[in-house]
């Protein structure tokens, strides 16, 4: 039998959760317009909406919060954070920001000029937004397998080197400011990139004198997959793997809300002094002084401590094993999920789960609402509702994938909680024909999934 590591922490502070009855949950989801984003957190039993900013901090991080040096300039917590990023990630310069998108804004403004082309391994919403808002054109160069929910591949986040070279040649190298390399790829389901691919991408980029900037948001999860799936690295420490990964980059943007184990914060890191100097000028306009960016001193302290905790093997081994555990329980009951499971979430294939619903009946939205009613678990739709409408024709985008994301926060839930999730989803799968489709009753113009309201179809 497969073994899953027990929690490598013990619990010293608890937060009680509310368990509503099924009748009460039916009432709450109706009030929320069948949109899980509009549920109140206190009405949710197990919250798998996102792993962003939802991590549990350690006793050491909470102790660090008391050491906040809230000086306007030159806070000692900044120097601690700077040294930690230099030691653990290996980059020379760092600029703190309020979260990841703040760093993406700075990098895009500094590097991108009108009509530049930025190749990347699938997009992330905020990353692509800032690239395009600064006149750039994003080109997806991820391998084809990343777009196939059932394609088995150890490193589904890899860049297709032929696609990358073709994009560079077509755009001309001087119009490619950098390659945007995400490790892991959130939108592909948290799929990792191999060290061999990272290295090959860097070498190819450098042949054309192009920089590589990583989206390092989920870099520790990526390092874990390299250790467990890439033979040459099985005896390396997570820290050694991370360090090597970053030798193949000129810098990175980071959302601290994920692999830095904090609730808020981020940074831009670079080895390029010119980029650093421009970032120091810009950060004052958009975030704050270069020695705090968008963060309080205490938050920088907690982040510095979190960066070191995240590279401890027992922590990351347990985290990825939790994701695997939930995936394995669902697979054992033949529930259709995206395979292999990635680093932060299990994605249900709503089309296969609810074959009686057409895409116009919003199957993933309906399934997410039904999961809440069944079990008090909150998940997120990633399908036609999230995809929005075409700017020119005003028709719905019809994405290939209709997914429901069950995202696991870091250090928050136990395997028993995941059993509740699995039992609820499996029960629902066996009664899936009872899930009714939904229709929009209120549809916002932009990023409609956040605030849209729905009603059940008859
Ligand atoms: C969350 C996330 C971001 C954006 O970071 P924020 O802190 O939410 O602004 C960027 N890239 C990836 C891969 C992410 O998961």
């Amino acid at each position: 039998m497969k073994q899953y590591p027990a929690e490598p922490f013990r619990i010293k502070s608890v937060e009680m959760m509310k368990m509503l009855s099924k009748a009460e949950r039916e009432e709450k989801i109706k009030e929320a317009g069948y949109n899980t984003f509009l549920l109140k957190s206190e009405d949710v039993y197990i919250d798998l909406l996102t792993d962003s900013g939802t991590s549990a901090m350690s006793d050491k991080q909470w102790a660090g919060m008391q050491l906040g040096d809230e000086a306007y300039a030159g806070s000692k917590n900044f120097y601690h954070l700077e040294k930690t990023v230099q030691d653990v990630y290996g980059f020379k310069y760092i600029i703190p920001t309020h979260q990841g998108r703040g760093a993406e804004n700075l990098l895009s403004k500094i590097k991108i000029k009108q009509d530049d082309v930025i190749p990347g391994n699938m997009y992330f919403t905020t990353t692509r937004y800032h690239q395009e808002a600064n006149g750039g054109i994003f080109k997806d160069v991820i391998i084809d397998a990343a777009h196939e929910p059932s394609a088995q591949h150890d490193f589904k986040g890899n860049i297709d080197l032929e696609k990358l070279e073709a994009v560079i040649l077509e755009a001309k190298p001087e119009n490619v400011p950098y390659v945007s390399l995400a490790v892991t790829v959130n939108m592909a389901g948290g799929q990792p990139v191999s060290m061999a691919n990272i290295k090959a991408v860097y070498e190819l980029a450098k042949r054309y004198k192009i920089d590589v900037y990583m989206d390092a948001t989920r870099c520790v999860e990526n390092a874990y997959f390299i250790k467990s799936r890439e033979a040459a690295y099985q005896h390396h420490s997570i820290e050694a793997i991370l360090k090597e990964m970053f030798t193949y980059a000129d810098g990175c943007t980071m959302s601290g809300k994920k692999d830095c184990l904090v609730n808020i914060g981020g940074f831009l890191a670079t080895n390029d002094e010119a980029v650093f100097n421009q970032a120091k000028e810009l950060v004052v306009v958009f975030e704050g002084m270069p020695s705090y960016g968008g963060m309080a001193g205490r938050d920088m302290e907690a982040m510095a401590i979190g960066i070191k905790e995240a590279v401890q093997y027992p922590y990351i081994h347990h985290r990825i094993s939790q994701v695997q555990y939930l995936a394995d329980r669902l697979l054992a009951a033949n529930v259709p999920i995206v395979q292999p499971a990635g680093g932060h979430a299990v994605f249900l294939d709503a089309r296969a789960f609810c074959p009686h619903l057409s895409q116009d009946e919003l199957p993933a939205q309906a399934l997410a609402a039904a999961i809440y009613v069944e079990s008090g678990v909150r998940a997120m739709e990633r399908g036609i509702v999230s995809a929005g409408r075409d700017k020119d024709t005003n028709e719905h985008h019809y994405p290939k994938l209709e997914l429901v994301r069950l995202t696991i926060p870091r250090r928050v839930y136990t395997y028993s909680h995941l059993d509740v999730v699995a039992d609820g989803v499996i029960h629902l799968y066996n009664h899936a024909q009872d899930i009714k489709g939904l229709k929009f009753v209120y549809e916002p113009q932009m990023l409609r999934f956040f605030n849209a309201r729905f009603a059940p179809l008859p």
Side-chain angles (χ1 to χ4, degrees), residues 71-84:
Y72 193 79
S75 160
K76 69 178 180 204
N77 310 119
F78 168 73
Y79 296 109
H80 184 197
L81 176 61
E82 181 185 52
K83 184 167 187 314
T84 305

Side-chain angles (χ1 to χ4, degrees), residues 52 99-102 104 124 126-127 182 184 186 215 217-218 255-258 265:
S52 177
Q99 48 185 86
R101 65 199 71 182
E104 292 166 356
F124 185 74
T126 57
T127 319
T184 64
N186 187 346
D215 180 341
T217 299
R218 300 166 182 286
S255 168
K257 301 174 73 170
K258 286 60 171 256

